[in-house]
Amino acid sequence: MTLTARKRTAPRSNYRRHPLRILLVNIPHPAIGSRIPREQLPPLGLLSVGGPLIGDGHAVELLDAEFGPMPLPTLVAEIVRRAPDAVLFGHSGSSSAQPIISRIAADAAAALPDVRIVYGGVHPTYFWREILRDEPYVDAIVRGEGEETTRRLMRALDKGLPLDDFPGIAFRRDGAPFGTPPAPVITDLDAYRVGRELIDHRRYSYWGGKRATPTRSRRSTSRRIAGRPTTGSPPIAR
Amino acid sequence: MIQPGQTKWDYKHPVLAVRGMRPWRLFLWVKAIEAIAQLRPRALRRWAWHPEPKIRHAIRWYYRMGRRVWLHEMIGFFLRDDYRGADRTVAQYLGDTQDHEEEASRSVRAPKRVAA
């Protein structure tokens, strides 16, 4: 079984089989909690998904449009400029973010016909049928926890493997929304490292407007996420 | 439902209607409760003289944010937001319940990691 939503129009001349170039996008959320404080917390969910993807050898970047916030046309233009193989939109608990994600994804897919669009998060976990029905540019939806399922999905997309072989995914099969069985809850989260190098921790804060850096603030959330310098992949150059 | 715009479905907007009370009245009651709770003499004493500097800093930060949010919500409710969807139900928006899909709380075996 393969994806049926959109097929590649032509192989890219510089297309590399491995790794995939993956762009994680944190959209500018409209919620008051995002807009009023004028400071941002690290997008922990996307970092948690990005870490295992880096570990798998993919080229991963994170675009955080919460800063500014970035106007939506600018965000779309930036996605198009980077021209990734796959754009992953994730958000937690936010039905309120879905209309914005849908708009950005539609515009990005129109400009990049070959790009894979993937959603993850609480809202898509429950509304995958409606999304796959209404948004033809969406290739797959990660349902439930994303650390392992997203790894498997990207691996399958990269190698052209069937998507119905592993749990926690939704996609179109024979043109109709299809969901595989639920993925089991991850019991050993330590097995999935957080993609700390995907963000500049100096731009993020904890409450109180205190800028948190891995070297200065010993009690901040950012520091806990940042931890010690990682021994894995080097920081992503932007 | 009283909030038809999905981008407003967060914890800082009134989304669901309540039986027996108009949305504007419920909204004002909630805002009044917030103001009364935060302006109690004991709460203000903590804001001014909490002995722990870090906690005092946090209290004052939350008061600053709360004041801006409170005013933002007042202006938004009465001057900006659209509540014309008041006659629709959650089911009309979202369809049937999905209780059977509460998969996260199920007890299952740990996933097997795939090789990179």
Side-chain angles (χ1 to χ4, degrees), chain A residues 126-147:
Chain A
Y126 290 98
F127 293 93
W128 56 271
R129 298 177 189 83
E130 290 83 354
I131 291 171
L132 290 172
R133 182 194 65 205
D134 299 336
E135 302 184 32
Y137 42 84
V138 176
D139 291 293
I141 290 171
V142 173
R143 294 156 47 221
E145 294 177 312
E147 288 88 343

Side-chain angles (χ1 to χ4, degrees), chain A residues 30-32 36-39 56 95-96 123 126 129 143 148 151-152 155 182 184-185 187 191-192 207-209, chain B residues 6-7 10-12 57-58 61-62 65 68-69 72 98 101-104 108-116:
Chain A
I32 291 172
I36 289 289
R38 297 173 191 154
E39 54 191 75
D56 275 6
S95 292
S96 59
H123 183 88
Y126 290 98
R129 298 177 189 83
R143 294 156 47 221
E148 177 64 24
R151 286 182 70 220
R152 294 182 178 206
R155 186 167 178 260
V185 174
T187 54
Y192 300 88
W207 51 253
Chain B
Q6 192 174 325
T7 57
D10 57 39
Y11 68 103
K12 298 303 287 183
H57 174 76
W61 186 86
Y62 278 113
M65 295 306 126
R68 281 163 50 192
V69 166
H72 183 92
Q98 291 174 282
E101 293 187 22
E102 287 296 342
E103 296 152 353
V108 284
R109 285 191 303 175
K112 187 179 174 184
R113 281 172 62 92
V114 297

Side-chain angles (χ1 to χ4, degrees), chain A residues 14-229:
Chain A
N14 62 346
Y15 179 66
R16 295 163 294 172
R17 286 292 302 168
H18 196 80
L20 287 177
R21 288 172 300 126
I22 298 169
L23 182 60
L24 304 167
V25 175
N26 192 28
I27 63 133
H29 290 75
I32 291 172
S34 284
R35 297 281 65 89
I36 289 289
R38 297 173 191 154
E39 54 191 75
Q40 300 299 331
L41 295 175
L44 184 55
L46 289 173
L47 298 185
S48 300
V49 168
L53 294 175
I54 294 171
D56 275 6
H58 299 296
V60 183
E61 293 182 8
L62 191 149
L63 178 55
D64 193 345
E66 284 276 39
F67 290 106
M70 189 181 285
L72 300 190
T74 308
L75 174 55
V76 173
E78 182 60 19
I79 294 171
V80 173
R81 186 187 70 78
R82 299 193 189 198
D85 296 311
V87 182
L88 276 54
F89 293 94
H91 50 88
S92 23
S94 45
S95 292
S96 59
Q98 189 58 51
I100 298 168
I101 288 178
S102 300
R103 184 176 152 195
I104 297 167
D107 289 350
L112 299 170
D114 292 342
V115 75
R116 302 297 196 190
I117 302 287
V118 177
Y119 290 172
V122 174
H123 183 88
T125 291
Y126 290 98
F127 293 93
W128 56 271
R129 298 177 189 83
E130 290 83 354
I131 291 171
L132 290 172
R133 182 194 65 205
D134 299 336
E135 302 184 32
Y137 42 84
V138 176
D139 291 293
I141 290 171
V142 173
R143 294 156 47 221
E145 294 177 312
E147 288 88 343
E148 177 64 24
T149 306
T150 310
R151 286 182 70 220
R152 294 182 178 206
L153 172 63
M154 290 297 114
R155 186 167 178 260
L157 290 179
D158 183 32
K159 299 182 182 304
L161 301 173
L163 298 186
D164 44 10
D165 275 359
F166 55 93
I169 210 85
F171 59 100
R172 283 183 204 81
R173 189 164 75 171
D174 302 325
F178 174 80
T180 61
V185 174
I186 296 172
T187 54
D188 181 17
L189 273 175
D190 289 341
Y192 300 88
R193 78 176 182 88
V194 175
R196 304 174 179 113
E197 63 270 53
L198 289 170
I199 59 171
D200 178 356
H201 290 262
R202 290 171 299 187
R203 302 181 75 194
Y204 296 86
S205 69
Y206 194 38
W207 51 253
K210 233 177 167 180
R211 290 297 167 196
T213 69
T215 52
R216 287 183 188 163
S217 175
R218 291 176 177 277
R219 292 189 176 182
S220 72
T221 301
S222 294
R223 179 183 167 83
R224 287 173 192 166
I225 295 167
R228 288 187 293 254

